[in-house]
Amino acid sequence: MASNVSREKLLFYAAAGGLGGLAAWGASEPFLGIRSVYGRDLVLGALVGLFIGAFLASIEALSVGQWRQAARGMQFGAIFGAVGGAAGLLVGEFAFDLLGGFNGRILGWAVLGLVVGLGVGWATRSGARSRNGAIGGLVGGATGGFFYQALTATFPQAFGRAIAIILIGALIGFFIGLVSELLKRGWLMVVRSQSRNAREGREYPLVKNVTIIGRAEESDIGLFGDQAVLAHHATIRHEGKNFFVTPTSGGQVLVNRQPVSGRCVLKSGDRVEIGGTLFLFRDRAQAAQA
């Protein structure tokens, strides 16, 4: 796997998706006695999509105590997931009759994964993350659909379904994380920090046109607990092929130990210091040309 892919992030997303799948299985199992096949699929798909989407869209914000962002992510993820899950399994049931077991299940869970991934990206209001989430969710859902059919055909229904739904969640999370890592253009990696949430080695992909860095909870890169950081301390803009860092009024930013007074173009390998946090900037395109 490429060296600029964060294995920790892949594990993080896979675990979050798997936990969402576990919660979804527990919530849906009492409803699976519904006699109507389509009614059962509607409930199962909605609950699976709801829980997996809610977990994946909120887990990053929850991990650093950004409660309002986590609540927004949970809301978007749940809504997109429930709608996509219900639609996906209904599509899958129709396809099951027309195309056969494996093809139908793969198609249905792929639709669920695609819409869940859109919800995960939409929660951050980032077009790039929506795209990455949709691609990753589609691949993860399709792969999970293959295993769902195999597991439920091999093991007793309840046991096989539990394993399959957990695996589907983990695969959707894993592939959303993988696509995001493979397609990221620029990112900041924490070298050291006095912030309680920006631990060493953590990476922040710069996927928005404007990324806000600060102590405020709504910041895209939150540096909480560091009194040297303003609520909105600096911005990083992605324009064309370049990334520019700009301090806000009263904020101090150092690039390679030199203070920045206006817009400063970043080059891969630059060291960006904000308050008590030192970042290493990476640009995939510049690194490839070096």
Side-chain angles (χ1 to χ4, degrees):
M1 191 174 294
S3 60
N4 55 15
V5 171
S6 170
R7 292 171 175 81
E8 182 182 13
K9 184 171 183 178
L10 300 187
L11 179 61
F12 188 68
Y13 268 83
L19 288 172
L22 177 62
W25 169 75
S28 62
E29 198 64 23
F31 296 97
L32 295 184
I34 297 173
R35 292 186 178 182
S36 167
V37 172
Y38 292 106
R40 189 166 62 243
D41 284 344
L42 185 70
V43 172
L44 176 62
L47 287 172
V48 170
L50 184 153
F51 279 98
I52 293 175
F55 268 69
L56 288 174
S58 63
I59 194 65
E60 281 201 51
L62 281 173
S63 70
V64 295
Q66 292 177 294
W67 307 115
R68 285 197 293 271
Q69 289 193 31
R72 186 179 69 236
M74 193 173 292
Q75 179 183 13
F76 276 107
I79 292 171
F80 272 78
V83 172
L89 291 206
L90 288 177
V91 167
E93 196 61 52
F94 284 113
F96 186 93
D97 296 331
L98 294 174
L99 304 175
F102 276 107
N103 292 329
R105 294 297 183 231
I106 288 171
L107 178 60
W109 289 108
V111 172
L112 180 148
L114 184 149
V115 183
V116 164
L118 279 174
V120 171
W122 192 260
T124 62
R125 300 175 182 176
S126 165
R129 282 200 169 183
S130 296
R131 175 204 64 199
N132 298 342
I135 296 171
L138 177 69
V139 175
T143 306
F146 174 86
F147 286 108
Y148 182 93
Q149 184 66 12
L151 288 167
T152 53
T154 303
F155 296 102
Q157 278 292 306
F159 180 68
R161 189 162 48 241
I163 297 175
I165 292 175
I166 293 170
L167 182 61
I168 285 171
L171 286 169
I172 290 174
F174 173 84
F175 279 104
I176 287 175
L178 180 61
V179 172
S180 298
E181 287 294 289
L182 291 175
L183 296 184
K184 67 185 180 185
R185 163 67 191 276
W187 63 97
L188 294 175
M189 185 185 75
V190 177
V191 177
R192 56 172 167 79
S193 179
Q194 295 178 10
S195 171
R196 66 173 181 266
N197 60 297
R199 53 183 171 70
E200 181 181 342
R202 179 170 184 149
E203 293 183 356
Y204 293 92
L206 303 172
V207 294
K208 292 184 173 182
N209 290 331
V210 180
T211 299
I212 299 172
I213 305 172
R215 204 172 72 236
E217 185 181 333
E218 64 270 17
S219 300
D220 299 303
I221 300 178
L223 299 176
F224 308 132
D226 187 345
Q227 297 304 312
V229 177
L230 303 179
H232 293 162
H233 196 102
T235 61
I236 295 182
R237 295 179 179 272
H238 184 197
E239 300 178 4
K241 297 181 179 180
N242 294 314
F243 291 86
F244 299 87
V245 63
T246 307
T248 59
S249 177
Q252 184 181 51
V253 176
L254 303 179
V255 175
N256 299 325
R257 298 184 177 180
Q258 299 300 313
V260 175
S261 57
R263 279 170 38 115
C264 175
V265 63
L266 293 173
K267 297 180 176 59
S268 191
D270 280 350
R271 298 166 76 83
V272 181
E273 192 167 356
I274 296 175
T277 300
L278 176 64
F279 295 103
L280 182 66
F281 171 72
R282 291 296 189 191
D283 186 312
R284 185 192 301 276
Q286 291 180 12
Q289 293 171 3

